[in-house]
Amino acid sequence: MSRIVAVAPELPAYSYPQHEITAELVPLLTNGTSHRAVMERTHANSGIGTRHTALPLERYRDLGTFRQTNDIFIEVATDLCSRALTRGLADAGLVASDVDFVIFTSVTGLSAPSIDALLVQRLGLRSDVKRLPSYGLGCMAGAAGISRLHDYLLGHPTGVAVLLSVELCSLTLQRGDESMANFVATGLFGDGAAAVIMVGEDHPKAAGPRVVDTRSATYPDSTDVIGFLVGETGFEIVLSPGVADVIEKHFPEDVAAFLSANALTIDAVDTWVAHPGGPKVLEAFASSLGLPPGELALSWASLERVGNLSSAAVLHVLADTIAAGNAGPTGLLFALGPGVSAEFVLLEWPT
């Protein structure tokens, strides 16, 4: 087993109401009044009140080349991850030199050396810390990162492992792209980061939610549903309406089978920690699993407050769940990403 001893969400300093973001982006993306109306309507129907951005809103008018925006990504991502990890370790009663293993994930920027490597000297991580940067899991990476930390800690029961997630979705802005996918993405995704601190079952700090089991799934004939195309201007969104269909088709069977393997049923789950992928995604999660109204309230609240933070989104919901103090005893955390793939994490809250 492994334990989640701290979750530290982090957000950029710049925050704007959804309507201000829409007003700023409409002239950057659209040329005609018909497209303008579609984009404004799409943003207004996102269920989002505010979002945080890596840069002041006016800076997006003259974002430079892919190289220049990626340089901004490295600078801002390193700062956000530094703040998240520093706070997470302090909350767990640990220091940087205690960390044995780090997973870093992002799908909105590239860096070699990776962001986690840039933090070794900056934060005082040990020179022999094991590191595993990850790219391509998208929104699923927060859940998958917890699963892979769990795998490591099963073999290192006194160890300390850390997940760092950062997504600066605003820096992937594609000006002049009037596709519906781009309209949806520019109204849905926000910027943010999170650190998750976990320890093995035999570590002296082993307290908090226990990871009981994990499961991964990759669904057939769905590679064109979610993702990015990498072009001369950077990351071009791939986002189809088929996401909800994939959930409706596969989630009931997958969740039931995963829970059954742990002698549980859907009715036995007390706490749902769902990736806030968007209104249609959350509706599909609830519908496919037969959840009563209100079961995904924290996911809806996170979506309204900060938008979909890709890999960091479910970690923000997990932090909110822990902070609420009324979770458990059985919880299921899950997220969906490119592939289409899903990751499920069975949690047990201490009584």
Side-chain angles (χ1 to χ4, degrees):
M1 301 288 185
S2 63
R3 297 275 192 155
I4 298 171
V5 293
V7 182
E10 195 66 49
L11 294 164
Y14 308 106
S15 175
Y16 301 94
Q18 178 80 325
H19 67 88
E20 288 187 18
I21 296 174
T22 303
E24 186 68 35
L25 294 185
V26 160
L28 302 182
L29 270 65
T30 66
N31 294 314
T33 55
S34 62
H35 285 137
R36 178 189 184 99
V38 172
M39 181 174 170
E40 288 174 339
R41 185 168 60 252
T42 301
H43 282 209
N45 292 336
S46 65
I48 294 169
T50 57
R51 283 184 286 163
H52 291 249
T53 57
L55 300 172
L57 200 52
E58 62 273 12
R59 285 278 304 277
Y60 292 90
R61 299 171 194 171
D62 55 1
L63 274 181
T65 63
F66 183 26
R67 167 68 181 272
Q68 290 168 326
T69 57
N70 197 68
D71 285 347
I72 295 171
F73 169 85
I74 294 171
E75 178 183 355
V76 177
T78 304
D79 182 57
L80 286 175
C81 285
S82 175
R83 285 157 46 189
L85 182 53
T86 298
R87 184 157 59 88
L89 288 170
D91 289 347
L94 298 166
V95 296
S97 59
D98 292 324
V99 177
D100 302 300
F101 180 50
V102 178
I103 292 178
F104 167 77
T105 189
S106 181
V107 75
T108 52
L110 302 169
S111 178
S114 54
I115 302 299
D116 49 297
L118 299 177
L119 292 175
V120 171
Q121 185 170 349
R122 178 169 172 170
L123 296 185
L125 295 165
R126 298 197 315 267
S127 61
D128 67 344
V129 67
K130 295 178 174 66
R131 299 183 297 107
L132 185 62
S134 166
Y135 179 87
L137 290 173
C139 296
M140 187 186 78
I146 290 175
S147 295
R148 302 294 79 80
L149 293 188
H150 173 67
D151 294 342
Y152 172 83
L153 291 168
L154 287 177
H156 302 80
T158 61
V160 176
V162 166
L163 169 64
L164 289 174
S165 161
V166 62
E167 303 291 4
L168 304 180
C169 304
S170 67
L171 296 178
T172 69
L173 179 68
Q174 297 295 303
R175 284 170 290 189
D177 180 353
E178 296 183 319
S179 67
M180 181 54 70
N182 199 37
F183 288 172
V184 172
T186 54
L188 178 64
F189 290 98
D191 295 352
V196 180
I197 317 299
M198 294 175 58
V199 299
E201 191 68 25
D202 295 338
H203 191 279
K205 299 286 186 180
R210 176 185 282 114
V211 177
V212 177
D213 197 7
T214 71
R215 178 170 291 196
S216 306
T218 301
Y219 302 125
D221 304 318
S222 62
T223 55
D224 59 348
V225 174
I226 315 171
F228 274 132
L229 299 175
V230 183
E232 287 131 350
T233 56
F235 299 105
E236 301 170 12
I237 192 71
V238 174
L239 189 62
S240 94
V243 177
D245 295 334
V246 172
I247 294 170
E248 293 282 0
K249 181 178 181 180
H250 294 287
F251 259 58
E253 181 180 351
D254 277 3
V255 171
F258 179 44
L259 293 173
S260 177
N262 287 276
L264 296 168
T265 64
I266 288 178
D267 291 339
V269 177
D270 306 289
T271 304
W272 299 89
V273 185
H275 167 62
K280 291 184 179 179
V281 168
L282 286 174
E283 288 167 1
F285 284 150
S287 172
S288 65
L289 298 174
L291 302 181
E295 286 295 315
L296 304 183
L298 289 180
S299 295
W300 281 102
S302 182
L303 180 68
E304 192 279 334
R305 190 172 62 252
V306 296
N308 179 351
L309 303 179
S310 189
S311 67
V314 76
L315 305 181
H316 278 240
V317 177
L318 176 60
D320 292 342
T321 303
I322 293 171
N326 57 0
T330 299
L332 186 66
L333 178 149
F334 55 88
L336 200 71
V340 169
S341 303
E343 191 77 21
F344 306 94
V345 181
L346 183 61
L347 298 171
E348 179 182 274
W349 262 265
T351 56

